[in-house]
Amino acid sequence: MDDIDRKILRLLQSNARMSLKTIAEKTFLSSPAVSARIEKLEKDGVIAGYHALIDPIKLGYHIIAFINLDVLPEDKERFYVYAESVPNVMECSCVTGEHSMLLKVAFKSTMELDVFIGQLQKFGKTSTQIVFSTHVGPRGVNVEET
């Protein structure tokens, strides 16, 4: 990966809908050259997908929470199937530390969150933090060469 690829990645992270023509102008390449580079970045798995960033509050999901959960190793696969089946689970990561899983969830009310936590407790002990505000939201990874 060279500096031009990194610039393309920065541009796409700032706006995944940026046109090939605009990217070409900003990188001093032709549109076909930009297209070929993007295709290679996709093929190599560097670009894993394109997503719209949706504001959950605008859709009525006023409760964003992080839930720590202890899951026994033998229950992980069953838990993963369950977590994938719940549309309110925005992210689920296996982590180090006191708990084995960290979930980011969005619910319309604390009552719905409470019901979900009750269901989660069949997999293990939980600890929940409700988000009051987010000052640094989701953003792309640093693509600068280190």
Side-chain angles (χ1 to χ4, degrees):
M1 183 170 5
D2 63 13
D3 289 340
I4 294 173
D5 288 336
R6 285 183 179 78
K7 185 163 190 172
I8 291 169
L9 291 173
R10 278 193 303 277
L11 292 168
L12 288 174
Q13 280 189 138
S14 70
N15 178 3
R17 294 185 57 165
M18 188 175 292
S19 71
L20 287 176
K21 180 180 180 217
T22 301
I23 296 170
E25 289 169 358
K26 292 180 181 284
T27 57
F28 304 104
L29 296 174
S30 67
S31 291
V34 168
S35 180
R37 283 178 176 261
I38 290 172
E39 192 173 303
K40 183 173 182 341
L41 291 165
E42 291 170 345
K43 180 179 157 281
D44 292 346
V46 176
I47 297 175
Y50 299 88
H51 309 278
L53 183 58
I54 309 294
D55 183 346
I57 291 173
K58 300 286 185 186
L59 296 178
Y61 294 95
H62 297 279
I63 308 299
I64 306 298
F66 289 93
I67 303 171
N68 291 293
L69 172 66
D70 284 330
V71 177
L72 294 172
E74 59 268 18
D75 291 336
K76 275 186 180 180
E77 288 309 313
R78 188 171 61 92
F79 168 72
Y80 290 145
V81 169
Y82 173 73
E84 288 175 5
S85 75
V86 179
N88 301 78
V89 175
M90 298 170 70
E91 295 179 33
C92 175
S93 301
C94 184
V95 297
T96 63
E98 228 176 283
H99 300 88
S100 57
M101 297 292 161
L102 177 63
L103 291 85
K104 181 179 180 182
V105 298
F107 286 93
K108 293 187 175 186
S109 70
T110 54
M111 292 157 298
E112 289 178 0
L113 174 62
D114 186 45
V115 169
F116 176 69
I117 291 170
Q119 294 167 348
L120 271 186
Q121 289 174 337
K122 68 184 172 190
F123 294 102
K125 181 181 168 203
T126 63
S127 172
T128 303
Q129 296 82 41
I130 293 176
V131 175
F132 287 144
S133 62
T134 301
H135 298 283
V136 177
R139 59 181 175 189
V141 66
N142 181 359
V143 296
E144 300 302 319
E145 190 170 20
T146 55

